[in-house]
């Protein structure tokens, strides 16, 4: 069971190691790459844009603005800040005749820093500094927002002093850093608004001199309107028309704006009181570090009962992928709302059971995640279910929200209208499935659009970064590996995205598996065989397994669609062979996921324990450059002498050493070639370590914050200070390093392959793609013993 990895494109940091990576300058290179091919200007007719991307059922019935509003508005080069207050007055006057409950207000907070919407993750991301902000309908923003936050902001406005700074102008250089910086500024605001309010799409204004662009962001791209001349009567009316439509969305109750999710709302004081009642004696402990203003109430739709959604109250965010043009996954802790439709009673309904809810935006060409859970439910015997959560409710929202399916309901590539005559009526497109790329006429857009997913699983857990003891960490990872084995053995499912965020420490014993301490979840990047594999162990039976499922598109399109899938795997934890640009024809297989478990364990240890590694995650896990990332992993895994000691923790130290030995043999290029990782070998090193009785009893995770610049000869605080001597000692003459390398090879030849790996030479894990040796990277082919041809791969069942 295997699959060819999809191409990688660099994105902005989501879990930075260094403080500089959290700053605007550190995030910019990732944003520059992330917006490539995702910026589109739609047509030349503003009316066509409004009817297509800003739909409303309610005609604008207020008088057009007077030209006197802008007669004194004269933006000057180099005087951007002088534009802000006049713009506030102009925009306020444009909406002054709106009904009071629909009238927004505007504010100039340009000196304020708006933090990332979720306080628990705010240290990972730099704050936003919008030039102007707009309120929700009927709200009046104060002159100064103290402290600044997104809760009352419905829309952001960024202004530049001259028209030449318009990043959406036709012919602008795609890779221009200045252009990318201006678009990234809008994108950061859009991301913050979408996360804070659960928007399905976010609208912003870009003001460039006296011109305006409307920018509509979703999770695939940004679509900008034609340029609007603010100093013309038509331009003023178009701006007014936009605001009218924005506060009169196609659907939604009081206070709703365009882009709102009608299956979502913020928590009220009544909700918070009911939540505390349901949590009872655990309320104070569970809500101690929770900001309930960030919580939400959401509907979850079951595939077999789309007309009977269930409501869940989400109060604690466990993990978030903050990238805008991505899956944007969020994992929440919550309870089912059992109060009924009114939501007005307090304390009504029986005791609630804690659940984990996942929300994301999957590529429509990928297999829906609920199909993987269904395969597991159908194939895994009850007594064999281990290390995996069970799906309780949910799936794709698009088909169940009253919208037609994307691929059936939107023309292939309609493109913008060329007519200047406004269309007679608006056409609302499915908001829970993106459609922007197709409407912009982007080739192969149907492969890149996304669908909104929301579902609930039964197992409640904590991220690995919050382990209470290191033994708990090891046990959780071992059980997640067992879950991976169960999925491949019975379901024919390969996870393909083992990461620190996709393994949860079980917080509450699972009734039928009380000894299970960890689960592997998040299968939306997974692949599976066309039918379940035959009985037997995954790594011996799958050589006869049917090929993997193709994409969720017509068979005739499947080959073309492959290259539009996002690369599977969280960047830091991708196996060496899959990220190394010098590896020939890599095939994502079981052994690569097992290798990812090692990088996850090492990542958590480096961040959250007191150790003597002499390096940090920033040193070992560089972000964005595939060659550098591969070399770092190869050098660490290939050098057996380079290891770490977890202070006062012999079992974890031994576990890391033994697991690293398996990695060492899997990366071998000399001797007899690599020895692939197997479940048997990996689980053995975990079981042996966990069985020891000298684990510390009080060594909970050390909190991690991105570190600042590292200076030579500095004594580091916390986990780093004990590693400084080891780091310095590892340096020496080239001659000595060559001697060390020779000793390692001799030692490896003497020791032979690690226990449990010698016989693992069949089927999944055997062919990992040909790894070039240093000689091969300079032009020579690798030795025959380490080459595996495509035909050999096919004969071993790897398609």
């Amino acid at each position: 069971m295997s699959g060819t990895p999809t191409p990688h494109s660099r994105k902005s940091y989501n879990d930075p190691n260094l403080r500089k990576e959290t700053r605007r300058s550190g995030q910019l290179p990732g944003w520059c790459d992330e917006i490539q091919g995702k910026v589109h200007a739609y047509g030349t007719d503003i009316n066509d844009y409004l009817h297509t991307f800003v739909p409303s059922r309610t005609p604008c019935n207020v008088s057009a603005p007077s030209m006197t509003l802008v007669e004194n508005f004269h933006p000057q080069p180099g005087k951007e800040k002088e534009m802000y207050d006049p713009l506030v007055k102009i925009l306020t006057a444009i909406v002054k005749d709106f009904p009071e409950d629909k009238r927004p207000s505007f504010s100039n907070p340009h000196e304020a820093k708006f933090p990332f919407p979720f306080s628990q993750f705010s240290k990972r991301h730099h704050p936003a500094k919008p030039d102007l902000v707009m309120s929700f309908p009927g709200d009046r923003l104060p002159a100064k927002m103290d402290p600044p936050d997104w809760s009352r902001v419905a829309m952001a406005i960024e202004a530049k002093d001259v028209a030449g700074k318009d990043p959406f102008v036709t012919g602008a250089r795609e890779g221009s850093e200045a252009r990318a910086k201006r678009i990234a500024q809008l994108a950061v605001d859009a991301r913050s608004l979408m996360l804070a309010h659960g928007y399905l799409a976010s609208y912003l204004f870009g003001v460039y001199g006296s011109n305006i662009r409307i920018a509509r962001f979703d999770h695939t791209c940004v679509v900008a309107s034609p340029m609007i001349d603010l100093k013309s009567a038509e331009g003023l009316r178009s701006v007014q028309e936009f605001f009218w439509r924005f506060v009169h969305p196609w659907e939604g109750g009081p206070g709703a704006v365009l882009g709102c999710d009608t299956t979502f709302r913020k928590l009220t004081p009544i909700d918070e009181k009911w939540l505390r009642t349901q949590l009872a004696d655990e309320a104070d402990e569970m809500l101690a570090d929770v900001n309930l203003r960030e919580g939400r109430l959401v509907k979850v739709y079951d595939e077999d009962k789309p007309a009977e959604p269930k409501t869940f109250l989400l109060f604690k965010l466990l993990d978030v992928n903050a990238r805008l043009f991505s899956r944007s996954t969020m994992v929440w802790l919550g309870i089912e709302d059992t109060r009924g439709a009114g939501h007005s009673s307090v304390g009504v309904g029986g005791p609630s059971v804690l659940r984990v809810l996942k929300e994301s935006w999957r590529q429509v060409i990928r297999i829906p995640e609920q199909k993987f859970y269904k395969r597991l439910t159908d194939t895994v015997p009850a007594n064999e279910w281990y290390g995996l959560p069970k799906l309780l409710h949910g799936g794709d929202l698009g088909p169940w929200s009253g919208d037609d399916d994307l691929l059936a309901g939107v023309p292939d590539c309609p493109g913008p209208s060329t007519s200047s005559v406004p269309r007679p009526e608006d056409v609302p497109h499915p908001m829970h499935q993106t459609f922007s790329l197709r409407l912009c006429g982007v080739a192969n857009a149907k492969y890149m659009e996304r669908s909104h997913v929301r579902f609930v699983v039964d197992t409640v857990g904590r991220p690995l970064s919050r382990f209470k003891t290191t033994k708990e960490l090891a046990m959780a990872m071992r059980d997640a590996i067992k879950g991976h084995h169960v999925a491949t053995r019975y379901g024919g499912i390969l996870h393909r995205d083992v990461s620190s965020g996709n393994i949860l420490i079980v917080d509450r014993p699972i009734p039928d598996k009380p000894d299970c301490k960890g689960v592997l979840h998040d299968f939306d990047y997974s692949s599976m065989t066309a039918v379940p594999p035959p009985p037997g162990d995954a790594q011996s039976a799958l050589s006869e397994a049917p090929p993997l499922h193709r994409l969720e598109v017509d068979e005739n399109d499947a080959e073309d669609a492959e290259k539009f899938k996002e690369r599977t795997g969280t960047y830091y934890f991708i196996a060496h062979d899959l990220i190394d640009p010098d590896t020939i024809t890599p095939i994502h297989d079981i052994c690569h996921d097992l290798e990812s478990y090692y990088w996850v364990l090492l990542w958590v240890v480096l961040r959250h324990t007191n150790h003597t590694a002499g390096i940090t995650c920033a040193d070992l896990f560089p972000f964005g450059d595939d060659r550098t990332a591969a070399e770092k992993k190869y050098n660490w895994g290939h050098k057996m002498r380079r290891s770490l000691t977890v202070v006062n923790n012999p079992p974890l130290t031994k576990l890391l050493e033994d697991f690293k030995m398996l990695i060492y043999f899997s990366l071998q290029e000399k001797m007899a070639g690599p020895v692939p990782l197997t479940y048997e070998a990996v689980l053995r090193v975990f079981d042996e370590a966990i069985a020891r009785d000298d684990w510390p009893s009080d060594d909970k995770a050390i909190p991690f914050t991105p570190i600042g610049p590292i200076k030579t000869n500095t004594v580091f605080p916390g986990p780093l200070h004990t590693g400084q001597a080891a780091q310095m000692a590892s340096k020496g003459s080239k001659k000595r390093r060559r001697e060390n390398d020779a000793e390692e090879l001799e030692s490896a030849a003497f020791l032979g392959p690690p226990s449990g790996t010698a016989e693992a030479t069949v089927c999944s894990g055997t062919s990992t793609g040909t790894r070039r040796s240093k000689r091969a990277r300079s032009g020579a082919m690798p030795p025959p013993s380490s080459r595996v041809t495509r035909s050999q791969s096919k004969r071993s069942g790897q398609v």
Side-chain angles (χ1 to χ4, degrees):
M1 177 174 52
S2 55
T4 302
T6 39
H8 168 71
S9 59
R10 180 176 179 175
K11 295 186 177 181
S12 52
Y13 294 96
N14 185 58
D15 195 1
N17 289 305
L18 298 175
R19 194 176 302 131
K20 68 178 184 180
E21 296 170 352
T22 68
R23 297 170 182 154
R24 189 183 304 270
S25 58
Q27 293 276 329
L28 183 59
W31 278 109
C32 289
D33 286 342
E34 191 169 344
I35 65 177
Q36 290 287 334
K38 298 180 176 67
V39 181
H40 305 279
Y42 186 87
T44 58
D45 182 356
I46 184 59
N47 289 315
D48 188 22
Y49 181 92
L50 292 173
H51 283 280
T52 302
F53 291 101
V54 196
S56 176
R57 303 176 193 262
T58 310
C60 182
N61 56 13
V62 296
S63 301
S66 168
M67 284 295 294
T68 59
L69 294 180
V70 293
E71 61 185 9
N72 294 321
F73 182 61
H74 303 289
Q76 299 295 319
K79 296 185 177 182
E80 177 185 312
K81 294 182 180 180
E82 283 79 352
M83 298 170 57
Y84 299 159
D85 286 335
L87 278 171
V88 168
K89 293 180 181 178
I90 292 171
L91 299 177
T92 300
I94 287 175
V95 302
K96 70 179 180 62
D97 293 332
F98 285 19
E100 186 174 356
D101 64 330
K102 292 291 186 180
R103 190 186 314 140
S105 62
F106 300 86
S107 179
N108 168 10
H110 74 276
E111 295 294 343
K113 295 182 179 180
F114 285 70
F116 186 71
F118 300 116
S119 54
Q120 183 180 335
F121 298 89
S122 61
K123 291 182 179 179
R124 295 185 182 181
H125 307 280
H126 68 80
K129 297 179 65 177
D131 296 331
L132 307 178
V133 294
M134 187 182 89
S135 73
F136 283 91
D139 189 18
R140 297 292 172 265
L141 293 176
K144 182 178 181 180
M145 300 182 69
D146 189 19
D149 74 271
W150 294 102
S151 62
R152 296 176 65 184
V153 176
M155 180 176 147
I157 301 169
E158 300 289 356
K160 301 300 174 188
D161 50 356
V162 294
K165 293 183 179 180
D166 180 356
F168 301 104
V169 65
T170 302
R173 288 187 298 137
E174 178 76 7
S176 165
E177 182 175 331
R179 174 179 185 257
K181 185 175 181 179
R182 293 175 196 129
I183 296 175
Q185 187 178 22
L186 292 167
V188 171
D189 293 343
R191 175 191 68 181
S192 299
L193 290 167
M194 294 173 82
L195 290 174
H197 306 303
Y199 284 170
L200 304 174
S202 185
Y203 293 80
L204 290 91
F205 262 19
V207 181
Y208 308 103
S210 59
N211 298 327
I212 286 180
R213 297 267 194 183
I214 304 165
R216 180 191 184 277
F217 286 82
D218 60 25
H219 289 291
T220 59
C221 69
V222 53
V223 182
S225 71
M227 185 183 67
I228 303 171
D229 183 1
L230 188 60
K231 301 197 70 173
S232 70
E234 295 81 2
L236 280 173
R237 180 61 175 179
S238 294
V239 173
Q240 184 184 56
E241 177 78 15
F242 167 79
F243 284 132
W244 179 270
R245 288 168 170 269
F246 186 73
V247 299
H248 292 84
W250 190 268
E251 58 182 352
V257 296
L258 196 63
C260 278
D261 180 357
T262 57
T263 68
F264 162 105
R265 72 166 172 80
K266 294 291 188 70
L267 300 184
T268 66
I270 291 178
D271 296 328
E272 295 178 11
K273 187 174 182 180
W274 180 79
L275 171 65
R276 290 185 175 276
T277 301
Q278 295 300 103
L279 296 179
D281 295 341
E282 296 180 294
D284 290 342
E285 179 183 354
M286 298 199 68
L287 301 178
D289 59 346
V290 171
N291 182 357
L292 288 178
R293 294 181 63 194
E294 300 169 1
R296 49 204 61 193
L297 211 69
V298 300
K299 292 181 180 179
V300 178
Y301 293 79
D302 288 334
E303 190 169 323
D304 58 342
K305 297 180 180 179
E308 303 176 19
K310 294 185 178 293
T311 303
F312 284 82
L313 191 156
L314 312 179
F315 61 88
K316 184 172 185 176
L317 184 63
L318 301 178
D319 198 17
V320 58
N321 176 356
R323 298 188 181 106
L324 177 58
F325 302 128
S326 73
R327 291 182 296 169
S328 300
T329 301
M330 291 194 289
V331 181
W332 288 87
L333 184 63
I335 59 175
E336 184 177 354
D337 188 345
T338 57
R339 292 173 292 173
H343 304 299
S344 57
S345 300
V346 175
V348 177
S352 296
V353 179
L354 290 173
R355 299 300 187 198
V356 169
L357 181 142
K358 175 188 170 182
E359 191 161 24
S360 65
W361 289 79
R362 74 170 178 93
Q363 280 184 286
V364 294
I365 58 172
R366 289 199 173 277
I367 301 172
E369 190 166 359
Q370 63 267 26
K371 290 191 177 182
F372 293 103
Y373 280 107
K374 186 178 186 307
R375 168 71 71 85
L376 292 171
T377 301
D378 292 343
T379 60
V380 180
N383 63 329
E384 294 292 333
W385 191 287
Y386 200 91
L388 298 169
K390 292 183 179 179
L391 179 66
L392 299 178
H393 307 288
D396 280 10
L397 275 75
W400 315 125
S401 60
D403 299 324
D404 292 329
D405 182 72
L406 172 70
L407 299 182
V410 181
D412 278 345
C413 292
S417 169
T418 56
S419 169
S420 61
V421 179
R423 298 183 308 181
E425 59 182 16
D426 294 349
V427 180
H429 295 288
M431 291 294 288
H432 287 277
Q433 291 177 320
T434 63
F435 55 84
S436 302
L437 291 173
R438 302 189 76 187
L439 291 183
C440 288
V442 175
N444 299 304
K446 65 181 180 181
Y447 302 136
M448 296 178 279
E449 300 287 15
R450 294 182 179 274
S451 185
H452 191 194
V453 177
R454 186 184 289 152
F455 60 82
V456 179
V457 296
D458 64 338
T459 306
V460 175
R462 284 171 281 120
L464 292 178
S465 58
R466 299 181 197 171
F467 60 83
K468 295 178 181 178
T469 66
T470 52
K471 184 174 183 179
E472 180 187 61
L473 167 66
M475 295 175 73
M477 290 204 61
R478 177 198 60 185
D479 292 348
I481 296 170
K482 290 182 178 180
H484 192 284
H485 192 185
V486 168
T488 56
R489 179 180 183 183
Y490 293 103
I493 296 172
L494 184 62
H495 190 276
R496 295 164 66 96
D497 188 18
V498 173
S499 69
S500 60
N502 290 342
I503 302 170
L504 291 178
I505 300 171
V506 175
D507 247 344
R508 305 196 172 203
I510 302 171
D512 53 346
K513 293 289 187 294
D515 59 332
C516 182
K517 302 300 182 183
V519 294
L520 177 68
H521 72 111
D522 196 354
F523 285 87
D524 57 357
Y525 271 0
S526 301
S527 58
M528 62 181 172
T529 54
V531 296
D537 183 77
Q539 284 179 302
S540 60
L542 287 180
S543 59
E544 304 299 327
L548 299 177
H549 263 305
R550 302 300 292 179
L551 301 170
E552 294 293 289
V553 295
D554 293 339
E555 291 184 5
N556 295 334
D557 296 336
E559 292 295 337
D560 292 336
E562 285 285 355
K563 60 180 175 288
F564 295 103
K565 291 164 58 179
E566 287 187 318
R567 184 186 205 160
T568 56
T570 302
Y571 191 85
Y572 297 118
F573 313 116
I574 297 175
H576 170 272
D577 281 3
L578 299 183
I579 204 170
D580 184 4
D582 291 318
T583 299
I584 305 171
T585 318
I587 297 175
H588 198 142
D589 217 330
I590 292 173
C591 57
H592 298 118
D593 278 8
L594 290 175
E595 182 183 329
S596 293
Y597 279 101
Y598 173 76
W599 302 122
V600 169
L601 178 62
L602 185 59
W603 170 278
V604 176
V605 168
L606 289 176
R607 279 189 165 203
H608 300 287
T609 71
N610 190 8
H611 59 79
T612 62
I615 62 169
T616 67
C617 280
D619 300 317
L620 188 53
F621 297 98
F623 182 82
D625 185 298
D626 288 3
R627 189 177 303 279
T628 301
E631 288 178 353
K632 292 284 188 178
K633 287 180 176 176
Y634 180 84
N635 289 337
W636 175 265
H638 191 66
K639 305 298 184 185
M640 294 198 310
R641 286 181 177 273
R642 188 173 188 182
S643 60
L644 61 84
T645 298
V646 183
V647 177
N648 297 323
N649 197 331
L652 183 55
T653 299
K654 186 66 164 60
L655 171 59
L656 288 163
E657 289 176 354
D658 290 347
F659 203 167
K660 184 178 178 181
M661 178 71 76
L662 300 180
I663 298 298
Y664 171 83
F665 279 99
S666 73
L667 296 180
Q668 273 299 326
E669 294 174 343
K670 303 177 182 179
M671 300 188 305
V675 179
L677 295 170
T678 66
Y679 289 117
E680 180 186 6
V682 174
L683 288 173
R684 178 179 290 122
V685 300
F686 273 90
D687 287 339
E688 290 175 352
I690 291 170
R692 295 179 56 148
D693 59 5
D694 53 344
W695 284 88
S697 59
D698 185 18
D699 59 339
K700 65 180 181 180
I702 299 172
F704 173 80
T705 54
I707 61 176
I710 299 176
K711 299 180 180 179
T712 305
N713 298 326
T714 298
V715 177
F716 296 98
L720 293 178
H721 78 279
T722 54
Q724 184 67 12
Q727 184 178 29
M728 299 304 295
S730 68
K731 299 180 180 180
S733 67
K734 292 183 179 180
K735 178 180 178 181
R736 181 57 193 159
R737 290 199 295 271
R738 285 196 300 270
E739 292 171 352
N740 288 342
D741 292 348
E743 289 174 5
E744 288 171 6
L745 285 172
E746 291 171 3
S747 174
F750 174 77
L751 292 172
S755 174
T757 63
E759 69 282 358
T761 57
V762 296
C763 166
S764 300
T766 303
S767 170
T768 62
T770 304
R771 182 185 303 111
R772 295 178 188 247
S773 64
K774 293 179 180 178
R775 182 176 67 250
R777 291 170 189 170
S778 65
M781 288 298 293
S785 61
S786 63
R787 282 207 305 269
V788 180
T789 65
R790 181 175 290 276
S791 61
Q792 289 171 330
S793 297
K794 290 183 177 179
R795 285 196 296 271
S796 66
Q798 298 171 355
V799 181

